[in-house]
């Protein structure tokens, strides 16, 4: 039995479908059963409840061969780091109480740093919590910037004719497709248990991309081969985020994360032997972006 949190997300749904396709027994955790009907039809068992409830999570984790855990985003939270701590503590308590032997934790590139990285610092904290659970075999997946994040810029590109974001235009960034993360999640859930093992695995595509690289590749896919990336003014970018439902606190954390990406602190963790490169390139993702852009 493989138990996966975050069933509405890109990674979890793909990993669950992969495991089910291999004949695995899967339980997915979510808050809304209606949103999980597709996975239920595919054969997944549903556990419906609140991820902040450690008792609920403990019951959902029971009997698991392995658990995939992640902190779902709540970008409207007025104190995002406090929210991360609450759900992170619930996950850790549930893992300890339920007797889970192997846990695959979704972390992030940059989680080697305790602070100064915006929301990623909360994932540093979560890695430390899980490492303190006696006997747990845990692997922390630290992927790069999701290709899917570029989809959020489609509307701005259409309106402004440039790709604005708070990162510097030419800084190399580790990026990755969520389908490739999902494949690693499914693989790691099925790996043999080694009690007490603690491992970190960085994940990225086989080349680095700057935001200008992304603008050029995605621009070519939408008929704008000369599309430029521009580094957005943080005040303006954050005002736009708040207008779309982000809390001011989350917007401020994203500014901090963008600065950490821009000055190279995030990419530094990908320079060692814990990095695995994945097959999908941004060029392969570009048609997905083009379809989303055309639908606007």
């Amino acid at each position: 039995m493989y138990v996966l949190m975050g069933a509405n997300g890109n990674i979890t749904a793909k990993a669950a479908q992969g495991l089910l396709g291999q004949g695995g027994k899967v339980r997915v955790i979510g808050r809304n059963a209606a949103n999980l009907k597709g996975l239920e039809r595919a054969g997944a068992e549903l556990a419906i409840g609140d991820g902040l409830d450690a008792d609920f999570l403990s019951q959902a984790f029971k009997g698991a061969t392995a658990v995939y855990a992640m902190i779902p985003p709540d970008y409207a939270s007025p104190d995002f780091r406090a929210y991360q701590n609450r759900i992170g503590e619930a996950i850790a308590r549930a893992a300890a109480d339920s007797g889970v032997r192997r846990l695959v934790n979704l972390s992030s590139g940059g989680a080697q740093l305790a602070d100064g990285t915006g929301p990623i610092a909360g994932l540093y904290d979560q890695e430390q919590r899980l490492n303190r659970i006696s006997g747990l075999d845990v692997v922390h997946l630290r992927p790069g910037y999701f290709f899917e994040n570029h989809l959020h810029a489609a509307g701005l590109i259409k309106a402004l004719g440039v790709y604005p974001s708070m990162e510097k235009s030419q800084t190399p960034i580790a990026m990755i497709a969520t389908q490739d993360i999902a494949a690693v999640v499914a693989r790691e859930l099925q790996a043999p248990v080694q009690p007490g093992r603690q491992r970190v695995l960085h994940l990225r595509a086989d080349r680095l991309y700057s935001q200008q690289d992304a603008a050029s590749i995605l621009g070519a896919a939408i008929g704008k081969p000369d599309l430029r990336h521009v580094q957005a003014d943080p005040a303006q970018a954050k005002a736009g985020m708040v207008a779309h439902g982000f809390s001011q606190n989350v917007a401020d954390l994203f500014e901090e994360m963008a600065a950490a990406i821009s000055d190279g602190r995030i990419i530094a963790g990908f320079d060692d032997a814990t990095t695995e490169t994945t097959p999908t390139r941004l060029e392969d993702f570009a048609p997905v972006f083009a379809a989303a852009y055309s639908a606007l």
Side-chain angles (χ1 to χ4, degrees):
M1 167 65 77
Y2 302 107
V3 177
L4 295 89
M5 294 184 66
N8 289 335
N10 282 318
I11 296 169
T12 302
K14 294 182 178 84
Q17 288 162 354
L19 290 164
L20 289 165
Q22 297 170 44
K25 192 176 180 183
V26 172
R27 179 184 302 143
V28 292
I29 298 172
R31 298 190 66 170
N32 188 331
N35 293 337
L36 307 180
K37 287 298 182 184
L39 287 173
E40 186 176 35
R41 284 192 294 270
E45 176 185 324
L46 305 186
I48 305 302
D50 189 343
L52 290 165
D53 183 342
D55 293 331
F56 159 71
L57 287 180
S58 182
Q59 284 298 119
F61 288 178
K62 279 189 177 173
T65 303
V67 167
Y68 167 65
M70 50 88 71
I71 295 178
D74 179 4
Y75 293 143
S77 172
D79 188 340
F80 189 71
R81 289 297 310 280
Y83 159 76
Q84 287 179 304
N85 286 334
R86 288 197 304 273
I87 196 165
E89 288 162 2
I91 291 167
R93 195 185 116 194
D97 291 351
S98 64
V100 169
R101 298 174 63 210
R102 179 163 177 75
L103 189 143
V104 179
N105 173 49
L106 181 65
S107 187
S108 171
Q112 75 275 9
L113 302 171
D115 53 38
T117 57
I120 297 173
L123 304 179
Y124 168 90
D125 292 344
Q126 182 65 352
E127 288 191 14
Q128 307 314 304
R129 282 189 199 95
L130 295 173
N131 286 344
R132 290 193 290 267
I133 299 175
S134 178
L136 182 66
D137 180 356
V138 58
V139 56
H140 304 292
L141 301 183
R142 293 183 184 170
Y145 185 96
F146 297 173
F147 289 163
E148 284 79 1
N149 289 341
H150 295 295
L151 295 171
H152 301 303
L156 290 172
I157 292 170
K158 181 157 277 192
L160 303 175
V162 295
Y163 182 159
S165 73
M166 287 189 284
E167 299 81 25
K168 289 182 179 177
S169 297
Q170 300 296 343
T171 300
I173 301 172
M175 298 187 187
I176 191 169
T178 58
Q179 68 185 30
D180 290 348
I181 304 171
V184 174
V185 168
R187 182 193 75 199
E188 292 295 325
L189 286 171
Q190 298 174 87
V193 175
Q194 297 184 35
R197 177 176 58 172
Q198 297 172 358
R199 188 161 61 99
V200 168
L201 182 58
H202 289 87
L203 301 170
R204 65 168 178 85
D206 66 358
R207 60 160 287 196
L208 304 178
Y209 300 91
S210 68
Q211 291 291 54
Q212 181 53 57
D213 291 332
S216 298
I217 291 166
L218 301 175
I222 60 173
K224 296 179 180 293
D226 297 325
L227 183 67
R228 290 187 308 111
H229 176 268
V230 295
Q231 187 174 14
D233 173 70
Q236 291 183 348
K238 292 190 296 181
M241 293 173 70
V242 171
H244 283 86
F246 287 65
S247 73
Q248 185 64 53
N249 171 255
V250 168
D252 291 340
L253 289 172
F254 270 66
E255 179 186 9
E256 184 176 274
M257 181 174 67
I261 292 172
S262 295
D263 67 18
R265 280 178 285 151
I266 302 298
I267 195 66
F270 289 80
D271 290 338
D272 60 30
T274 66
T275 296
E276 177 179 330
T277 57
T278 51
T280 307
R281 293 188 166 197
L282 187 57
E283 292 86 343
D284 303 319
F285 177 78
V288 176
F289 181 86
Y293 182 86
S294 296
L296 293 173

